Every structure is written in C-alpha cells, then in structure tokens.
Amino acid sequence: MLRADLDHCEWLPDDAKTGEMVFIPGGSFRMGSDHHYPEEAPSHRVSVDGFWIDRTPVTVGQFEQFVDATGHVTEAEIVPDPKDYPVAAKDMLYAGSLVFSPLPDITDLADWSQWWSFMRGANWRHPYGPGSSIEGLDDHPVVHVSLSDAAAFARWAGKDLPTEAEWEFAARGGLDGEEFAWGDALMPGGKHMANIWQGNFPIQNLGEDGFERTSPVMAFPPNGYGLYDMIGNVWEWTSDWWSAPHTADAARSGCVPNNPRGGREDASYDPRLPDIKIPRKVLKGGSHLCAPNYCRRYRPAARHAEPVDTSTSHIGFRCVVRTPLAFQRAQSDGNGFMQREKRR
C-alpha cells in the first residue's frame, strides 16, 4: 500500500520508486540493552524521523558497478603512507586487508591475532587473499571496505550512511525490546534466521546454517520491515562516531532525543592505544563470525567500535535516503499526506 501510494511523489529517489529501498516510518524505541555487553547500556528511549534504507547490504555486484563508473580505488588497494602510521613496522606497510584465517591451535581467546591476518593483496576483488576472486559472489555483501569506501559509494548513489539510531530502529523491524530482529528466540522452531557461527569459535565451524563465510544477501528471512541481513552475514558501517556507554534517559519524562548522533570524533580514539589517534565509527549487526561462545553481537542493540581506516573480510554497509520533514511528520500522523495527495 505505502509503495503504491508513493509512486507519484516527484521528490522520491529513483531506488524508492523501483523498489530497491524500503521506507521506514519514524517512531520512538528503546535503543541499546541492559542485558549483554556494557557498551550497549543503558537502554534508553530515542526517536527517529522516517527514512529510506537499502533492502540488503551493498553487494559485490553493486560495488563493482560503482568502481567501473568512478574508477574508485579502495583503501585496501593502496599502500599506506608511513607518515600516517609512525609506529608501524615498515615491513607491514603494504596494500592489504584483514582476513579471517585462524591458526591451527588457538591458545588465547583474548588474542584476536590468532585468527585475523593482515593479508597482502586482500581486497574487495580478492576477499580471501590474492588467490581468491569474486566470481560467483555478485549477490554476496561486498567486504574489505573502509569507512571512506562506503561513504564514497553512498555519495555516488546519492545516498548516505545510516546513523546508529536509524540502523537499530530499522533492524528491529517494528519490534521494541526483543532480543533479535525477529523476536526473543535465536532459532524459532529450530530455524536459522541469520548467517552466524555454529560451533566452538574460532576452531570449529559446523556451518549448520549452510554457510561458513558470507552468504547471498537474501538467503535468510527478512525482518518485519522487509529488510535482509540486518543481523549476521557482515557488520555494517554507520555514520556515528563511537562513544560508550550510551546516554541514559533524560531525568524529565517526555524528553526523548530525536535523531540522536554519536559522540565526538576526538573522543572516539581507542584509549588502549594512546599513541594511535585513529578515530572510530560504530558498526552494527554482527557477522557470520559471531558465535554464542564468543561474540553474541547478532542483535539489533549490539555495537562495535571500528577504526575508520580498517577493512576486513566481515565488514560491509548499506545506505539510507532521508526524506523531507513534511513527509516524515505526515507519515507519523496517520497518512494524512497520502490522502491529501490522492485528492489532488
């Protein structure tokens, strides 16, 4: 009903008219969680205006069209400038990206270097290193994209990256407070709902959901808004600077932040690395590497801090288009705008 009603609106983006994006009506919800990781707390009420969002993460095929049209070169394909990484060993300054490649023997789950390798020649065209290719992966999410790569695609497409609040609101699919994007059970009726890890991470991948790495973007059921892969498959960039913990509810009832944003860029640096001043953005959604025994971040409330220059084999993105405020307000007002437009 909504899409049919919108087809005549001249200001809508082309993707919305062709059905490649989904409109998310504005509303309020409880953002974050008090029951899992400390950076997700405290749960607090916020509101967002309406927006359009990509139905799926940006795929390899879509990203290839962008590269062909613009000649864009991703950060993973560029040799780092030593001036930007003064503490890095010179023999580590080569074009590449982080690839999940666990060692045969894992001795310390606190040491992620035992399963992540900064691999020379790994990039979006070679997701698992120089010997790999994207053949047959057109409908998989593109990976090995840094923040600047995702932002460049968004600009080319006339879109933007979502805020953390927009992303989480969309991921919840109309549910407020449930653990997952589909309800409170991880596997309702024993059914796999997202591409996550089964087995003992990182040494045993049972692949019971049918996939050991990324999966086609529509391989699992959509959420209540018709969005795919909001949970699992790949983490997704947002436009918000990292800050933790969340801001608590206002002391005065009725004061609900509208369209909240993250923290400051200069406050997003990793305090554990005082000599490295690389800002971090918020990632959302978890990935195919999230496992019950290690990283239970396959939930809408989950979040992760990622340096803006980093790309990996499990990070992708999707885009949004924000609508004029008049339409947003009308939408929250019972579709009065639609009725008026029909009478014209």
Side-chain angles (χ1 to χ4, degrees):
M1 286 291 293
L2 178 60
R3 190 172 306 285
D5 286 343
L6 292 175
D7 281 344
H8 65 281
C9 296
E10 295 299 325
W11 51 263
L12 288 175
D14 288 342
D15 280 354
K17 293 179 180 179
T18 59
E20 294 177 13
M21 298 184 84
V22 174
F23 181 71
I24 308 298
S28 65
F29 71 108
R30 292 212 71 82
M31 185 176 178
S33 171
D34 297 320
H35 308 300
H36 294 278
Y37 297 98
E39 68 271 14
E40 301 170 18
S43 171
H44 59 293
R45 186 155 292 278
V46 304
S47 69
V48 294
D49 292 328
F51 58 96
W52 294 85
I53 189 167
D54 288 341
R55 189 178 298 276
T56 72
V58 172
T59 64
V60 169
Q62 291 169 328
F63 198 79
E64 187 170 29
Q65 291 176 2
F66 157 64
V67 170
D68 288 346
T70 65
H72 180 81
V73 179
T74 62
E75 283 201 62
E77 299 170 276
I78 301 171
V79 177
D81 187 336
K83 294 178 183 177
D84 296 331
Y85 302 93
V87 299
K90 290 184 178 179
D91 60 355
M92 286 296 291
L93 292 176
Y94 50 77
S97 188
L98 285 167
V99 177
F100 178 73
S101 51
L103 297 173
D105 297 308
I106 304 296
T107 59
D108 182 4
L109 280 178
D111 180 11
W112 58 264
S113 68
Q114 294 182 77
W115 54 88
W116 283 108
S117 173
F118 186 74
M119 193 174 293
R120 187 189 299 269
N123 55 56
W124 75 274
R125 295 184 189 274
H126 305 287
Y128 310 120
S132 64
S133 78
I134 53 174
E135 185 177 354
L137 299 181
D138 271 7
D139 59 350
H140 286 234
V142 68
V143 292
H144 297 296
V145 285
S146 69
L147 177 74
S148 65
D149 300 324
F153 178 97
R155 286 193 300 272
W156 171 76
K159 303 178 182 181
D160 200 355
L161 296 178
T163 66
E164 181 179 3
E166 287 170 340
W167 194 100
E168 186 169 330
F169 185 69
R172 291 184 178 277
L175 303 176
D176 192 0
E178 279 82 350
E179 289 286 280
F180 307 104
W182 49 84
D184 280 326
L186 176 60
M187 292 177 57
K191 182 178 181 180
H192 292 285
M193 300 295 288
N195 180 4
I196 63 173
W197 185 285
Q198 297 88 47
N200 185 22
F201 181 89
I203 58 175
Q204 178 195 41
N205 188 349
L206 299 176
E208 293 172 344
D209 59 10
F211 303 96
E212 291 190 7
R213 294 190 184 263
T214 61
S215 53
V217 294
M218 292 186 177
F220 294 88
N223 72 1
Y225 287 144
L227 303 175
Y228 292 84
D229 278 1
M230 296 303 289
I231 300 300
N233 212 359
V234 294
W235 284 97
E236 298 183 16
W237 287 106
T238 74
S239 59
D240 280 0
W241 298 112
W242 173 263
S243 65
H246 279 310
T247 302
D249 283 324
R252 235 176 27 173
S253 62
C255 294
V256 177
N258 188 51
N259 298 321
R261 297 306 307 266
R264 303 188 323 272
E265 177 180 353
D266 61 359
S268 70
Y269 304 136
D270 191 337
R272 298 167 300 180
L273 303 170
D275 295 328
I276 300 178
K277 302 296 185 182
I278 300 175
R280 298 180 296 169
K281 292 277 188 174
V282 177
L283 296 181
K284 296 288 282 183
S287 80
H288 60 280
L289 301 181
C290 285
N293 77 299
Y294 179 73
C295 172
R296 298 183 304 278
R297 289 184 170 89
Y298 35 72
R299 296 168 291 103
R303 54 206 302 265
H304 178 67
E306 190 72 10
V308 298
D309 64 341
T310 300
S311 61
T312 76
S313 59
H314 74 333
I315 295 177
F317 69 102
R318 76 180 73 209
C319 302
V320 299
V321 171
R322 297 178 183 92
T323 58
L325 189 58
F327 174 73
Q328 297 164 1
R329 297 288 164 82
Q331 267 306 111
S332 62
D333 197 322
N335 283 335
F337 173 85
M338 294 302 173
Q339 298 304 319
R340 289 194 295 274
E341 287 297 296
K342 284 180 178 179
R343 290 196 294 266
R344 295 178 74 174

